[in-house]
Amino acid sequence: MSIIGIIGSGNIGSVLARLAVDAGYDVVIANSRGPESLAGLVEELGPRARAATTAEAAAAGDLVVVTIPLGRVPELPAQSLDGKVVIDTCNYYPERDGDIAVLDSHELTTSEFVQRHFAGARVVKAFNNIFAQNLGELQRPAGAPDRATLTIAGDDEAAERVVTEFIEAIGYDVFDTGPLAESWRFQRDQPAYAGVYTESGDPAEPRRRTPDELRARLDQADRSIR
Ligand SMILES: NC(=O)c1ccc[n+]([C@@H]2O[C@H](COP(=O)([O-])OP(=O)(O)OC[C@H]3O[C@@H](n4cnc5c(N)ncnc54)[C@H](OP(=O)(O)O)[C@@H]3O)[C@@H](O)[C@H]2O)c1
């Protein structure tokens, strides 16, 4: 696993690109405006990173991160990620994304919505419940007492292993919460949303949560919240 494709170069995409490069991965990153607009970012990231179109980032990545506004996911060609392991970081903000009926009715979780669009990919939910700034500051070497733990969800064990290896390599432990259908438990505004990875959510006070604490937060989730 050496090339990470990143679709979306905003708050989360740019931080993940930095963490991936620092961990020794090659990065191919794309946004909606085209590779020229990413010249400054890839220069900062150094020789392991290059800018590309979304199609190129999708094709190049052994692992592909989709980190764009959820409402814009359907703009990406559905078959462009066939056969890929895909990390979905997206959250649902109707005021930004527009109303999405299958989410409002709870027919699908947000990651099932992404999985349904990319039917030929294997989607793993990750990074949706950590602030971008925290993501770029709380990474720690394996075994550090204050290394934070991030939640994932997925329906394909092999894909989850690939994603776990990546997350561990960039500086975090991983807690597997179960299938995508249950991943509403750490969607927006649930107890296991922002702040779950540290005691207070304050990057000045990082503290690794135990699996029991994470489980308790997931168990407190209330489907009616969103
Ligand atoms: N910000 C956070 O702390 C945070 C934390 C966890 C999860 N999230 C979620 O993760 C996702 C990304 O958040 P963000 O804060 O990084 O967003 P952001 O800063 O607004 O960046 C969004 C990126 O998506 C790109 N984009 C939009 N439509 C696209 C398309 N059709 N094709 C290719 N690229 C497209 C944009 O390209 P241009 O730059 O060319 O417009 C931009 O680079 C969202 O769903 C968000 O809810 C955010």
Side-chain angles (χ1 to χ4, degrees), residues 9-12 31-33 54 67-68 72 75-76 89-91 96 127-128 130-132:
S9 60
N11 298 303
I12 291 285
N31 63 9
S32 72
R33 285 166 295 149
T54 53
T67 184
I68 69 175
R72 300 193 62 177
E75 294 174 14
L76 300 173
T89 82
C90 302
N91 290 307
R96 177 195 65 191
F127 302 118
N128 75 297
I130 180 167
F131 291 124

mmCIF file with all atom_site columns, all heavy atoms in Angstrom, residues 9-12 31-33 54 67-68 72 75-76 89-91 96 127-128 130-132, ligand 1:
data_model
loop_
_atom_site.group_PDB
_atom_site.id
_atom_site.type_symbol
_atom_site.label_atom_id
_atom_site.label_alt_id
_atom_site.label_comp_id
_atom_site.label_asym_id
_atom_site.label_entity_id
_atom_site.label_seq_id
_atom_site.pdbx_PDB_ins_code
_atom_site.Cartn_x
_atom_site.Cartn_y
_atom_site.Cartn_z
_atom_site.occupancy
_atom_site.B_iso_or_equiv
_atom_site.pdbx_formal_charge
_atom_site.auth_seq_id
_atom_site.auth_comp_id
_atom_site.auth_asym_id
_atom_site.auth_atom_id
_atom_site.pdbx_PDB_model_num
ATOM   1   N N   . SER A 1 9   ? -9.377  18.631 -1.332  1.00 0.00 ? 9   SER A N   1
ATOM   2   C CA  . SER A 1 9   ? -8.102  19.168 -0.826  1.00 0.00 ? 9   SER A CA  1
ATOM   3   C C   . SER A 1 9   ? -8.338  20.258 0.208   1.00 0.00 ? 9   SER A C   1
ATOM   4   O O   . SER A 1 9   ? -7.511  21.138 0.392   1.00 0.00 ? 9   SER A O   1
ATOM   5   C CB  . SER A 1 9   ? -7.304  19.758 -1.999  1.00 0.00 ? 9   SER A CB  1
ATOM   6   O OG  . SER A 1 9   ? -8.057  20.809 -2.600  1.00 0.00 ? 9   SER A OG  1
ATOM   7   N N   . GLY A 1 10  ? -9.504  20.201 0.863   1.00 0.00 ? 10  GLY A N   1
ATOM   8   C CA  . GLY A 1 10  ? -9.848  21.228 1.844   1.00 0.00 ? 10  GLY A CA  1
ATOM   9   C C   . GLY A 1 10  ? -9.252  20.930 3.206   1.00 0.00 ? 10  GLY A C   1
ATOM   10  O O   . GLY A 1 10  ? -8.127  20.417 3.321   1.00 0.00 ? 10  GLY A O   1
ATOM   11  N N   . ASN A 1 11  ? -10.015 21.225 4.252   1.00 0.00 ? 11  ASN A N   1
ATOM   12  C CA  . ASN A 1 11  ? -9.504  21.084 5.625   1.00 0.00 ? 11  ASN A CA  1
ATOM   13  C C   . ASN A 1 11  ? -8.986  19.676 5.895   1.00 0.00 ? 11  ASN A C   1
ATOM   14  O O   . ASN A 1 11  ? -7.854  19.483 6.348   1.00 0.00 ? 11  ASN A O   1
ATOM   15  C CB  . ASN A 1 11  ? -10.628 21.394 6.618   1.00 0.00 ? 11  ASN A CB  1
ATOM   16  C CG  . ASN A 1 11  ? -11.129 22.818 6.490   1.00 0.00 ? 11  ASN A CG  1
ATOM   17  O OD1 . ASN A 1 11  ? -10.362 23.764 6.615   1.00 0.00 ? 11  ASN A OD1 1
ATOM   18  N ND2 . ASN A 1 11  ? -12.408 22.979 6.222   1.00 0.00 ? 11  ASN A ND2 1
ATOM   19  N N   . ILE A 1 12  ? -9.823  18.686 5.619   1.00 0.00 ? 12  ILE A N   1
ATOM   20  C CA  . ILE A 1 12  ? -9.448  17.302 5.932   1.00 0.00 ? 12  ILE A CA  1
ATOM   21  C C   . ILE A 1 12  ? -8.483  16.749 4.886   1.00 0.00 ? 12  ILE A C   1
ATOM   22  O O   . ILE A 1 12  ? -7.458  16.136 5.224   1.00 0.00 ? 12  ILE A O   1
ATOM   23  C CB  . ILE A 1 12  ? -10.710 16.414 6.018   1.00 0.00 ? 12  ILE A CB  1
ATOM   24  C CG1 . ILE A 1 12  ? -11.547 16.787 7.245   1.00 0.00 ? 12  ILE A CG1 1
ATOM   25  C CG2 . ILE A 1 12  ? -10.341 14.933 6.055   1.00 0.00 ? 12  ILE A CG2 1
ATOM   26  C CD1 . ILE A 1 12  ? -11.001 16.309 8.567   1.00 0.00 ? 12  ILE A CD1 1
ATOM   27  N N   . ASN A 1 31  ? -9.052  18.191 -6.509  1.00 0.00 ? 31  ASN A N   1
ATOM   28  C CA  . ASN A 1 31  ? -10.190 18.973 -6.015  1.00 0.00 ? 31  ASN A CA  1
ATOM   29  C C   . ASN A 1 31  ? -11.127 19.238 -7.174  1.00 0.00 ? 31  ASN A C   1
ATOM   30  O O   . ASN A 1 31  ? -11.014 18.605 -8.234  1.00 0.00 ? 31  ASN A O   1
ATOM   31  C CB  . ASN A 1 31  ? -9.703  20.258 -5.328  1.00 0.00 ? 31  ASN A CB  1
ATOM   32  C CG  . ASN A 1 31  ? -8.970  21.193 -6.284  1.00 0.00 ? 31  ASN A CG  1
ATOM   33  O OD1 . ASN A 1 31  ? -8.961  20.980 -7.497  1.00 0.00 ? 31  ASN A OD1 1
ATOM   34  N ND2 . ASN A 1 31  ? -8.352  22.215 -5.743  1.00 0.00 ? 31  ASN A ND2 1
ATOM   35  N N   . SER A 1 32  ? -12.050 20.176 -7.018  1.00 0.00 ? 32  SER A N   1
ATOM   36  C CA  . SER A 1 32  ? -13.011 20.418 -8.105  1.00 0.00 ? 32  SER A CA  1
ATOM   37  C C   . SER A 1 32  ? -12.459 21.380 -9.146  1.00 0.00 ? 32  SER A C   1
ATOM   38  O O   . SER A 1 32  ? -12.955 21.420 -10.267 1.00 0.00 ? 32  SER A O   1
ATOM   39  C CB  . SER A 1 32  ? -14.329 20.957 -7.542  1.00 0.00 ? 32  SER A CB  1
ATOM   40  O OG  . SER A 1 32  ? -14.173 22.280 -7.094  1.00 0.00 ? 32  SER A OG  1
ATOM   41  N N   . ARG A 1 33  ? -11.432 22.156 -8.776  1.00 0.00 ? 33  ARG A N   1
ATOM   42  C CA  . ARG A 1 33  ? -10.975 23.236 -9.675  1.00 0.00 ? 33  ARG A CA  1
ATOM   43  C C   . ARG A 1 33  ? -9.835  22.814 -10.595 1.00 0.00 ? 33  ARG A C   1
ATOM   44  O O   . ARG A 1 33  ? -9.437  23.585 -11.455 1.00 0.00 ? 33  ARG A O   1
ATOM   45  C CB  . ARG A 1 33  ? -10.536 24.446 -8.837  1.00 0.00 ? 33  ARG A CB  1
ATOM   46  C CG  . ARG A 1 33  ? -11.680 25.238 -8.252  1.00 0.00 ? 33  ARG A CG  1
ATOM   47  C CD  . ARG A 1 33  ? -11.206 26.182 -7.185  1.00 0.00 ? 33  ARG A CD  1
ATOM   48  N NE  . ARG A 1 33  ? -10.674 25.456 -6.044  1.00 0.00 ? 33  ARG A NE  1
ATOM   49  C CZ  . ARG A 1 33  ? -9.692  25.897 -5.258  1.00 0.00 ? 33  ARG A CZ  1
ATOM   50  N NH1 . ARG A 1 33  ? -9.125  27.058 -5.473  1.00 0.00 ? 33  ARG A NH1 1
ATOM   51  N NH2 . ARG A 1 33  ? -9.285  25.156 -4.234  1.00 0.00 ? 33  ARG A NH2 1
ATOM   52  N N   . THR A 1 54  ? -9.635  14.470 -10.529 1.00 0.00 ? 54  THR A N   1
ATOM   53  C CA  . THR A 1 54  ? -10.276 13.487 -9.643  1.00 0.00 ? 54  THR A CA  1
ATOM   54  C C   . THR A 1 54  ? -10.193 12.083 -10.248 1.00 0.00 ? 54  THR A C   1
ATOM   55  O O   . THR A 1 54  ? -9.992  11.104 -9.520  1.00 0.00 ? 54  THR A O   1
ATOM   56  C CB  . THR A 1 54  ? -11.748 13.851 -9.366  1.00 0.00 ? 54  THR A CB  1
ATOM   57  O OG1 . THR A 1 54  ? -12.414 14.037 -10.603 1.00 0.00 ? 54  THR A OG1 1
ATOM   58  C CG2 . THR A 1 54  ? -11.859 15.103 -8.535  1.00 0.00 ? 54  THR A CG2 1
ATOM   59  N N   . THR A 1 67  ? -13.224 13.069 0.436   1.00 0.00 ? 67  THR A N   1
ATOM   60  C CA  . THR A 1 67  ? -13.380 14.039 1.507   1.00 0.00 ? 67  THR A CA  1
ATOM   61  C C   . THR A 1 67  ? -13.857 15.371 0.938   1.00 0.00 ? 67  THR A C   1
ATOM   62  O O   . THR A 1 67  ? -13.100 16.333 0.836   1.00 0.00 ? 67  THR A O   1
ATOM   63  C CB  . THR A 1 67  ? -12.101 14.114 2.380   1.00 0.00 ? 67  THR A CB  1
ATOM   64  O OG1 . THR A 1 67  ? -12.355 15.006 3.463   1.00 0.00 ? 67  THR A OG1 1
ATOM   65  C CG2 . THR A 1 67  ? -10.850 14.495 1.587   1.00 0.00 ? 67  THR A CG2 1
ATOM   66  N N   . ILE A 1 68  ? -15.133 15.353 0.525   1.00 0.00 ? 68  ILE A N   1
ATOM   67  C CA  . ILE A 1 68  ? -15.772 16.512 -0.105  1.00 0.00 ? 68  ILE A CA  1
ATOM   68  C C   . ILE A 1 68  ? -17.135 16.704 0.562   1.00 0.00 ? 68  ILE A C   1
ATOM   69  O O   . ILE A 1 68  ? -17.581 15.836 1.325   1.00 0.00 ? 68  ILE A O   1
ATOM   70  C CB  . ILE A 1 68  ? -15.923 16.307 -1.637  1.00 0.00 ? 68  ILE A CB  1
ATOM   71  C CG1 . ILE A 1 68  ? -16.940 15.226 -1.969  1.00 0.00 ? 68  ILE A CG1 1
ATOM   72  C CG2 . ILE A 1 68  ? -14.564 15.959 -2.268  1.00 0.00 ? 68  ILE A CG2 1
ATOM   73  C CD1 . ILE A 1 68  ? -17.213 15.063 -3.471  1.00 0.00 ? 68  ILE A CD1 1
ATOM   74  N N   . ARG A 1 72  ? -22.083 16.634 -2.763  1.00 0.00 ? 72  ARG A N   1
ATOM   75  C CA  . ARG A 1 72  ? -21.395 16.660 -4.057  1.00 0.00 ? 72  ARG A CA  1
ATOM   76  C C   . ARG A 1 72  ? -20.845 15.294 -4.459  1.00 0.00 ? 72  ARG A C   1
ATOM   77  O O   . ARG A 1 72  ? -20.338 15.133 -5.565  1.00 0.00 ? 72  ARG A O   1
ATOM   78  C CB  . ARG A 1 72  ? -20.290 17.715 -4.025  1.00 0.00 ? 72  ARG A CB  1
ATOM   79  C CG  . ARG A 1 72  ? -20.890 19.097 -3.756  1.00 0.00 ? 72  ARG A CG  1
ATOM   80  C CD  . ARG A 1 72  ? -19.947 20.220 -4.020  1.00 0.00 ? 72  ARG A CD  1
ATOM   81  N NE  . ARG A 1 72  ? -19.531 20.292 -5.414  1.00 0.00 ? 72  ARG A NE  1
ATOM   82  C CZ  . ARG A 1 72  ? -18.731 21.239 -5.897  1.00 0.00 ? 72  ARG A CZ  1
ATOM   83  N NH1 . ARG A 1 72  ? -18.294 22.183 -5.085  1.00 0.00 ? 72  ARG A NH1 1
ATOM   84  N NH2 . ARG A 1 72  ? -18.381 21.245 -7.163  1.00 0.00 ? 72  ARG A NH2 1
ATOM   85  N N   . GLU A 1 75  ? -21.656 13.845 -7.823  1.00 0.00 ? 75  GLU A N   1
ATOM   86  C CA  . GLU A 1 75  ? -20.993 14.414 -9.010  1.00 0.00 ? 75  GLU A CA  1
ATOM   87  C C   . GLU A 1 75  ? -19.832 13.527 -9.485  1.00 0.00 ? 75  GLU A C   1
ATOM   88  O O   . GLU A 1 75  ? -19.401 13.629 -10.629 1.00 0.00 ? 75  GLU A O   1
ATOM   89  C CB  . GLU A 1 75  ? -20.406 15.801 -8.695  1.00 0.00 ? 75  GLU A CB  1
ATOM   90  C CG  . GLU A 1 75  ? -21.441 16.860 -8.395  1.00 0.00 ? 75  GLU A CG  1
ATOM   91  C CD  . GLU A 1 75  ? -20.795 18.168 -7.946  1.00 0.00 ? 75  GLU A CD  1
ATOM   92  O OE1 . GLU A 1 75  ? -19.573 18.349 -8.108  1.00 0.00 ? 75  GLU A OE1 1
ATOM   93  O OE2 . GLU A 1 75  ? -21.537 19.004 -7.413  1.00 0.00 ? 75  GLU A OE2 1
ATOM   94  N N   . LEU A 1 76  ? -19.297 12.708 -8.581  1.00 0.00 ? 76  LEU A N   1
ATOM   95  C CA  . LEU A 1 76  ? -18.149 11.863 -8.959  1.00 0.00 ? 76  LEU A CA  1
ATOM   96  C C   . LEU A 1 76  ? -18.681 10.641 -9.707  1.00 0.00 ? 76  LEU A C   1
ATOM   97  O O   . LEU A 1 76  ? -19.658 10.022 -9.269  1.00 0.00 ? 76  LEU A O   1
ATOM   98  C CB  . LEU A 1 76  ? -17.379 11.422 -7.713  1.00 0.00 ? 76  LEU A CB  1
ATOM   99  C CG  . LEU A 1 76  ? -16.807 12.571 -6.871  1.00 0.00 ? 76  LEU A CG  1
ATOM   100 C CD1 . LEU A 1 76  ? -16.217 12.038 -5.567  1.00 0.00 ? 76  LEU A CD1 1
ATOM   101 C CD2 . LEU A 1 76  ? -15.747 13.336 -7.646  1.00 0.00 ? 76  LEU A CD2 1
ATOM   102 N N   . THR A 1 89  ? -15.019 10.312 4.560   1.00 0.00 ? 89  THR A N   1
ATOM   103 C CA  . THR A 1 89  ? -14.947 11.193 5.742   1.00 0.00 ? 89  THR A CA  1
ATOM   104 C C   . THR A 1 89  ? -16.184 12.068 5.878   1.00 0.00 ? 89  THR A C   1
ATOM   105 O O   . THR A 1 89  ? -16.253 12.912 6.772   1.00 0.00 ? 89  THR A O   1
ATOM   106 C CB  . THR A 1 89  ? -13.738 12.150 5.658   1.00 0.00 ? 89  THR A CB  1
ATOM   107 O OG1 . THR A 1 89  ? -14.072 13.283 4.825   1.00 0.00 ? 89  THR A OG1 1
ATOM   108 C CG2 . THR A 1 89  ? -12.485 11.469 5.135   1.00 0.00 ? 89  THR A CG2 1
ATOM   109 N N   . CYS A 1 90  ? -17.153 11.912 4.983   1.00 0.00 ? 90  CYS A N   1
ATOM   110 C CA  . CYS A 1 90  ? -18.179 12.949 4.783   1.00 0.00 ? 90  CYS A CA  1
ATOM   111 C C   . CYS A 1 90  ? -19.247 12.957 5.877   1.00 0.00 ? 90  CYS A C   1
ATOM   112 O O   . CYS A 1 90  ? -19.691 11.905 6.335   1.00 0.00 ? 90  CYS A O   1
ATOM   113 C CB  . CYS A 1 90  ? -18.848 12.758 3.433   1.00 0.00 ? 90  CYS A CB  1
ATOM   114 S SG  . CYS A 1 90  ? -17.699 12.802 2.041   1.00 0.00 ? 90  CYS A SG  1
ATOM   115 N N   . ASN A 1 91  ? -19.678 14.135 6.242   1.00 0.00 ? 91  ASN A N   1
ATOM   116 C CA  . ASN A 1 91  ? -20.821 14.324 7.129   1.00 0.00 ? 91  ASN A CA  1
ATOM   117 C C   . ASN A 1 91  ? -21.941 15.030 6.377   1.00 0.00 ? 91  ASN A C   1
ATOM   118 O O   . ASN A 1 91  ? -21.701 15.672 5.354   1.00 0.00 ? 91  ASN A O   1
ATOM   119 C CB  . ASN A 1 91  ? -20.413 15.151 8.354   1.00 0.00 ? 91  ASN A CB  1
ATOM   120 C CG  . ASN A 1 91  ? -19.499 14.378 9.276   1.00 0.00 ? 91  ASN A CG  1
ATOM   121 O OD1 . ASN A 1 91  ? -19.810 13.263 9.683   1.00 0.00 ? 91  ASN A OD1 1
ATOM   122 N ND2 . ASN A 1 91  ? -18.342 14.955 9.599   1.00 0.00 ? 91  ASN A ND2 1
ATOM   123 N N   . ARG A 1 96  ? -25.675 22.830 3.790   1.00 0.00 ? 96  ARG A N   1
ATOM   124 C CA  . ARG A 1 96  ? -24.608 22.855 2.790   1.00 0.00 ? 96  ARG A CA  1
ATOM   125 C C   . ARG A 1 96  ? -24.879 21.872 1.651   1.00 0.00 ? 96  ARG A C   1
ATOM   126 O O   . ARG A 1 96  ? -24.628 22.174 0.478   1.00 0.00 ? 96  ARG A O   1
ATOM   127 C CB  . ARG A 1 96  ? -23.270 22.478 3.467   1.00 0.00 ? 96  ARG A CB  1
ATOM   128 C CG  . ARG A 1 96  ? -22.069 22.405 2.522   1.00 0.00 ? 96  ARG A CG  1
ATOM   129 C CD  . ARG A 1 96  ? -20.886 21.679 3.175   1.00 0.00 ? 96  ARG A CD  1
ATOM   130 N NE  . ARG A 1 96  ? -21.193 20.270 3.431   1.00 0.00 ? 96  ARG A NE  1
ATOM   131 C CZ  . ARG A 1 96  ? -20.441 19.459 4.161   1.00 0.00 ? 96  ARG A CZ  1
ATOM   132 N NH1 . ARG A 1 96  ? -19.336 19.915 4.732   1.00 0.00 ? 96  ARG A NH1 1
ATOM   133 N NH2 . ARG A 1 96  ? -20.791 18.193 4.338   1.00 0.00 ? 96  ARG A NH2 1
ATOM   134 N N   . PHE A 1 127 ? -12.549 9.225  10.044  1.00 0.00 ? 127 PHE A N   1
ATOM   135 C CA  . PHE A 1 127 ? -12.145 10.638 10.108  1.00 0.00 ? 127 PHE A CA  1
ATOM   136 C C   . PHE A 1 127 ? -13.332 11.604 10.097  1.00 0.00 ? 127 PHE A C   1
ATOM   137 O O   . PHE A 1 127 ? -13.125 12.808 10.020  1.00 0.00 ? 127 PHE A O   1
ATOM   138 C CB  . PHE A 1 127 ? -11.207 11.020 8.948   1.00 0.00 ? 127 PHE A CB  1
ATOM   139 C CG  . PHE A 1 127 ? -9.948  10.213 8.859   1.00 0.00 ? 127 PHE A CG  1
ATOM   140 C CD1 . PHE A 1 127 ? -9.693  9.428  7.740   1.00 0.00 ? 127 PHE A CD1 1
ATOM   141 C CD2 . PHE A 1 127 ? -9.006  10.225 9.884   1.00 0.00 ? 127 PHE A CD2 1
ATOM   142 C CE1 . PHE A 1 127 ? -8.529  8.679  7.643   1.00 0.00 ? 127 PHE A CE1 1
ATOM   143 C CE2 . PHE A 1 127 ? -7.831  9.479  9.796   1.00 0.00 ? 127 PHE A CE2 1
ATOM   144 C CZ  . PHE A 1 127 ? -7.604  8.705  8.663   1.00 0.00 ? 127 PHE A CZ  1
ATOM   145 N N   . ASN A 1 128 ? -14.580 11.100 10.134  1.00 0.00 ? 128 ASN A N   1
ATOM   146 C CA  . ASN A 1 128 ? -15.707 12.040 10.065  1.00 0.00 ? 128 ASN A CA  1
ATOM   147 C C   . ASN A 1 128 ? -15.905 12.759 11.390  1.00 0.00 ? 128 ASN A C   1
ATOM   148 O O   . ASN A 1 128 ? -16.536 13.815 11.432  1.00 0.00 ? 128 ASN A O   1
ATOM   149 C CB  . ASN A 1 128 ? -17.006 11.308 9.704   1.00 0.00 ? 128 ASN A CB  1
ATOM   150 C CG  . ASN A 1 128 ? -17.547 10.531 10.901  1.00 0.00 ? 128 ASN A CG  1
ATOM   151 O OD1 . ASN A 1 128 ? -16.886 9.615  11.380  1.00 0.00 ? 128 ASN A OD1 1
ATOM   152 N ND2 . ASN A 1 128 ? -18.701 10.905 11.399  1.00 0.00 ? 128 ASN A ND2 1
ATOM   153 N N   . ILE A 1 130 ? -13.494 13.778 13.719  1.00 0.00 ? 130 ILE A N   1
ATOM   154 C CA  . ILE A 1 130 ? -12.362 14.496 14.310  1.00 0.00 ? 130 ILE A CA  1
ATOM   155 C C   . ILE A 1 130 ? -12.193 15.797 13.540  1.00 0.00 ? 130 ILE A C   1
ATOM   156 O O   . ILE A 1 130 ? -12.219 15.805 12.307  1.00 0.00 ? 130 ILE A O   1
ATOM   157 C CB  . ILE A 1 130 ? -11.064 13.651 14.307  1.00 0.00 ? 130 ILE A CB  1
ATOM   158 C CG1 . ILE A 1 130 ? -9.898  14.430 14.929  1.00 0.00 ? 130 ILE A CG1 1
ATOM   159 C CG2 . ILE A 1 130 ? -10.703 13.127 12.916  1.00 0.00 ? 130 ILE A CG2 1
ATOM   160 C CD1 . ILE A 1 130 ? -8.669  13.576 15.261  1.00 0.00 ? 130 ILE A CD1 1
ATOM   161 N N   . PHE A 1 131 ? -12.039 16.911 14.267  1.00 0.00 ? 131 PHE A N   1
ATOM   162 C CA  . PHE A 1 131 ? -11.829 18.193 13.612  1.00 0.00 ? 131 PHE A CA  1
ATOM   163 C C   . PHE A 1 131 ? -10.509 18.158 12.850  1.00 0.00 ? 131 PHE A C   1
ATOM   164 O O   . PHE A 1 131 ? -9.518  17.586 13.328  1.00 0.00 ? 131 PHE A O   1
ATOM   165 C CB  . PHE A 1 131 ? -11.772 19.328 14.637  1.00 0.00 ? 131 PHE A CB  1
ATOM   166 C CG  . PHE A 1 131 ? -13.088 19.604 15.301  1.00 0.00 ? 131 PHE A CG  1
ATOM   167 C CD1 . PHE A 1 131 ? -13.198 19.563 16.686  1.00 0.00 ? 131 PHE A CD1 1
ATOM   168 C CD2 . PHE A 1 131 ? -14.220 19.911 14.564  1.00 0.00 ? 131 PHE A CD2 1
ATOM   169 C CE1 . PHE A 1 131 ? -14.405 19.809 17.315  1.00 0.00 ? 131 PHE A CE1 1
ATOM   170 C CE2 . PHE A 1 131 ? -15.432 20.158 15.188  1.00 0.00 ? 131 PHE A CE2 1
ATOM   171 C CZ  . PHE A 1 131 ? -15.521 20.110 16.562  1.00 0.00 ? 131 PHE A CZ  1
ATOM   172 N N   . ALA A 1 132 ? -10.516 18.824 11.709  1.00 0.00 ? 132 ALA A N   1
ATOM   173 C CA  . ALA A 1 132 ? -9.323  18.804 10.860  1.00 0.00 ? 132 ALA A CA  1
ATOM   174 C C   . ALA A 1 132 ? -8.091  19.290 11.625  1.00 0.00 ? 132 ALA A C   1
ATOM   175 O O   . ALA A 1 132 ? -7.011  18.699 11.522  1.00 0.00 ? 132 ALA A O   1
ATOM   176 C CB  . ALA A 1 132 ? -9.564  19.659 9.620   1.00 0.00 ? 132 ALA A CB  1
HETATM 177 N N1  . LIG B 2 .   ? -13.610 20.286 8.519   1.00 0.00 ? 1   LIG B N1  1
HETATM 178 C C1  . LIG B 2 .   ? -13.613 19.314 9.423   1.00 0.00 ? 1   LIG B C1  1
HETATM 179 O O1  . LIG B 2 .   ? -13.079 19.470 10.531  1.00 0.00 ? 1   LIG B O1  1
HETATM 180 C C2  . LIG B 2 .   ? -14.249 17.994 9.089   1.00 0.00 ? 1   LIG B C2  1
HETATM 181 C C3  . LIG B 2 .   ? -14.056 16.955 10.008  1.00 0.00 ? 1   LIG B C3  1
HETATM 182 C C4  . LIG B 2 .   ? -14.536 15.687 9.691   1.00 0.00 ? 1   LIG B C4  1
HETATM 183 C C5  . LIG B 2 .   ? -15.265 15.479 8.535   1.00 0.00 ? 1   LIG B C5  1
HETATM 184 N N2  . LIG B 2 .   ? -15.494 16.523 7.683   1.00 0.00 ? 1   LIG B N2  1
HETATM 185 C C6  . LIG B 2 .   ? -16.276 16.221 6.460   1.00 0.00 ? 1   LIG B C6  1
HETATM 186 O O2  . LIG B 2 .   ? -15.329 15.852 5.463   1.00 0.00 ? 1   LIG B O2  1
HETATM 187 C C7  . LIG B 2 .   ? -15.708 16.410 4.201   1.00 0.00 ? 1   LIG B C7  1
HETATM 188 C C8  . LIG B 2 .   ? -14.647 17.417 3.783   1.00 0.00 ? 1   LIG B C8  1
HETATM 189 O O3  . LIG B 2 .   ? -14.617 18.449 4.738   1.00 0.00 ? 1   LIG B O3  1
HETATM 190 P P1  . LIG B 2 .   ? -13.614 19.676 4.599   1.00 0.00 ? 1   LIG B P1  1
HETATM 191 O O4  . LIG B 2 .   ? -13.847 20.519 5.801   1.00 0.00 ? 1   LIG B O4  1
HETATM 192 O O5  . LIG B 2 .   ? -12.259 19.191 4.281   1.00 0.00 ? 1   LIG B O5  1
HETATM 193 O O6  . LIG B 2 .   ? -14.255 20.420 3.331   1.00 0.00 ? 1   LIG B O6  1
HETATM 194 P P2  . LIG B 2 .   ? -13.720 21.728 2.576   1.00 0.00 ? 1   LIG B P2  1
HETATM 195 O O7  . LIG B 2 .   ? -12.584 22.345 3.330   1.00 0.00 ? 1   LIG B O7  1
HETATM 196 O O8  . LIG B 2 .   ? -14.913 22.532 2.237   1.00 0.00 ? 1   LIG B O8  1
HETATM 197 O O9  . LIG B 2 .   ? -13.106 21.114 1.235   1.00 0.00 ? 1   LIG B O9  1
HETATM 198 C C9  . LIG B 2 .   ? -13.924 20.450 0.319   1.00 0.00 ? 1   LIG B C9  1
HETATM 199 C C10 . LIG B 2 .   ? -13.073 19.964 -0.830  1.00 0.00 ? 1   LIG B C10 1
HETATM 200 O O10 . LIG B 2 .   ? -13.920 19.202 -1.697  1.00 0.00 ? 1   LIG B O10 1
HETATM 201 C C11 . LIG B 2 .   ? -13.605 19.553 -3.032  1.00 0.00 ? 1   LIG B C11 1
HETATM 202 N N3  . LIG B 2 .   ? -14.728 19.226 -3.892  1.00 0.00 ? 1   LIG B N3  1
HETATM 203 C C12 . LIG B 2 .   ? -16.000 19.647 -3.836  1.00 0.00 ? 1   LIG B C12 1
HETATM 204 N N4  . LIG B 2 .   ? -16.729 19.091 -4.816  1.00 0.00 ? 1   LIG B N4  1
HETATM 205 C C13 . LIG B 2 .   ? -15.890 18.303 -5.515  1.00 0.00 ? 1   LIG B C13 1
HETATM 206 C C14 . LIG B 2 .   ? -16.033 17.488 -6.656  1.00 0.00 ? 1   LIG B C14 1
HETATM 207 N N5  . LIG B 2 .   ? -17.222 17.339 -7.261  1.00 0.00 ? 1   LIG B N5  1
HETATM 208 N N6  . LIG B 2 .   ? -14.950 16.843 -7.131  1.00 0.00 ? 1   LIG B N6  1
HETATM 209 C C15 . LIG B 2 .   ? -13.748 16.960 -6.524  1.00 0.00 ? 1   LIG B C15 1
HETATM 210 N N7  . LIG B 2 .   ? -13.542 17.736 -5.422  1.00 0.00 ? 1   LIG B N7  1
HETATM 211 C C16 . LIG B 2 .   ? -14.613 18.401 -4.932  1.00 0.00 ? 1   LIG B C16 1
HETATM 212 C C17 . LIG B 2 .   ? -13.320 21.034 -2.963  1.00 0.00 ? 1   LIG B C17 1
HETATM 213 O O11 . LIG B 2 .   ? -12.648 21.418 -4.127  1.00 0.00 ? 1   LIG B O11 1
HETATM 214 P P3  . LIG B 2 .   ? -12.299 22.982 -4.402  1.00 0.00 ? 1   LIG B P3  1
HETATM 215 O O12 . LIG B 2 .   ? -11.281 23.344 -3.364  1.00 0.00 ? 1   LIG B O12 1
HETATM 216 O O13 . LIG B 2 .   ? -11.753 22.986 -5.778  1.00 0.00 ? 1   LIG B O13 1
HETATM 217 O O14 . LIG B 2 .   ? -13.598 23.702 -4.248  1.00 0.00 ? 1   LIG B O14 1
HETATM 218 C C18 . LIG B 2 .   ? -12.475 21.088 -1.685  1.00 0.00 ? 1   LIG B C18 1
HETATM 219 O O15 . LIG B 2 .   ? -11.127 20.802 -1.981  1.00 0.00 ? 1   LIG B O15 1
HETATM 220 C C19 . LIG B 2 .   ? -17.085 17.035 4.415   1.00 0.00 ? 1   LIG B C19 1
HETATM 221 O O16 . LIG B 2 .   ? -18.078 16.101 4.068   1.00 0.00 ? 1   LIG B O16 1
HETATM 222 C C20 . LIG B 2 .   ? -17.088 17.344 5.901   1.00 0.00 ? 1   LIG B C20 1
HETATM 223 O O17 . LIG B 2 .   ? -18.417 17.396 6.417   1.00 0.00 ? 1   LIG B O17 1
HETATM 224 C C21 . LIG B 2 .   ? -14.984 17.754 7.926   1.00 0.00 ? 1   LIG B C21 1
#
